[in-house]
Amino acid sequence: MISIAGILLGIALTYLLKFGLSYRFPTLPFPLSLDWRVRAALIAFSGAILGALYPALKAARKDPIDALAYE
């Protein structure tokens, strides 16, 4: 859920930046296509999954008794 929220926020900020730059530089085109949004979302989601996979696998290998022994 956090990665999806980050993807949506990133795309929204990209459009906000595009409109700001289009206002400042009206003759310079800033093309943003559907293909760009899909690729950006896939890259971000893949990074989020891979980033969460390592700690999850490391925690799954740990013995629950040893994990609770630090109280």
Side-chain angles (χ1 to χ4, degrees):
M1 293 301 279
I2 292 173
S3 65
I4 292 172
I7 290 168
L8 294 176
L9 183 65
I11 290 174
L13 287 175
T14 300
Y15 275 99
L16 184 67
L17 183 65
K18 176 193 178 218
F19 290 131
L21 289 174
S22 293
Y23 179 75
R24 177 75 172 106
F25 305 105
T27 59
L28 191 61
F30 296 100
L32 296 176
S33 63
L34 176 64
D35 183 47
W36 171 86
R37 285 180 284 180
V38 170
R39 284 185 185 181
L42 286 176
I43 290 169
F45 195 69
S46 299
I49 293 296
L50 291 175
L53 194 61
Y54 175 70
L57 289 174
K58 199 167 182 180
R61 289 185 194 137
K62 200 165 224 180
D63 186 35
I65 303 300
D66 290 337
L68 296 173
Y70 290 106
E71 288 190 37

